[in-house]
């Protein structure tokens, strides 16, 4: 049976089609989920894509957190379902308290778009199994509010528990504390990542195919669990 990965579309989502395409290239069945859905249509995992949910009014991800679909996703994530939040999706996960901390305006106050080198710090999450710890990858980054912040106690806990999933290399693009590009929850099934792996899954259009591993990792996790 094909593994089904849902991709949520909020009003203002930008990269939902790209995320669905990445799921298909990885070998999964992409299922479009609407923000008003409470039913996840029997998906095995969920991707919250990048974009500008609800126009980023109020605060990035703050309104999306209260969408009907998020009520079910929060319940299922706490029960162990793999959930990946990319860029705006990462912001939604923090606003939903599935991940600690918050994303703030880039420290230089400009929108930034470039190919970004990362180091994979944790290769044991549901979304990073196909990488090796310490592996360097390059995927696109594009954000205006990508600075990851948390209090020192939370940052120390993330470091001590190995919950930093990826760290920026070659210069911190947005002022994220401790160069953090992505984190995971304690169980390792919920991951938030500011750069965009869904834009690096094909040699024709991406700077690399380094991002594909995030999607194949989830499929591997679901097949073996």
């Amino acid at each position: 049976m094909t593994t089904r990965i849902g991709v949520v579309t909020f009003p203002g989502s930008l990269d939902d089609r790209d995320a669905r395409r990445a799921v298909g290239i990885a070998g999964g069945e992409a299922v479009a989920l609407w923000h008003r859905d409470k039913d996840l249509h029997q998906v095995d995992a969920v991707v919250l894509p990048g974009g500008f949910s609800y126009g980023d009014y109020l605060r990035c991800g703050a309104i999306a957190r209260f969408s009907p679909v998020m009520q079910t996703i929060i319940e299922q994530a706490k029960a162990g379902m793999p959930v990946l939040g990319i860029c705006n999706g990462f912001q939604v996960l923090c606003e939903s308290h599935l991940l600690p901390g918050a994303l703030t305006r880039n420290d230089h106050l400009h929108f930034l778009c470039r190919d970004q080198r990362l180091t994979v710090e944790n290769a044991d999450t549901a979304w990073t199994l196909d990488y090796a710890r310490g592996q360097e990858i390059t995927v696109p980054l594009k954000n205006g509010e990508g600075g990851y912040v948390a209090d020192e106690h939370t940052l120390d806990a993330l470091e001590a528990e190995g919950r930093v999933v990826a760290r920026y290399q070659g210069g911190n693009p947005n002022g994220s504390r401790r160069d953090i590009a992505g984190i995971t929850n304690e169980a390792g099934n919920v991951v938030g990542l500011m750069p965009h792996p869904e834009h690096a899954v094909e040699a024709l259009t991406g700077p690399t195919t380094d991002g594909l591993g995030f999607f194949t990792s989830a499929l591997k996790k679901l097949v073996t669990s």
Side-chain angles (χ1 to χ4, degrees), residues 162-185:
R163 291 168 55 193
V164 176
V165 170
R167 216 180 295 269
Y168 295 115
Q169 294 295 326
N172 187 326
N174 45 35
S176 287
R177 300 297 306 276
R178 304 191 189 184
D179 299 332
I180 289 174
I183 60 172
T184 185
N185 65 346

Side-chain angles (χ1 to χ4, degrees), residues 68-89:
V69 73
M70 285 305 302
Q71 297 176 26
T72 310
I73 289 173
I74 291 170
E75 293 173 2
Q76 292 300 310
K78 290 179 178 178
M81 185 179 72
V83 178
L84 173 65
I86 303 169
C87 196
N88 188 229

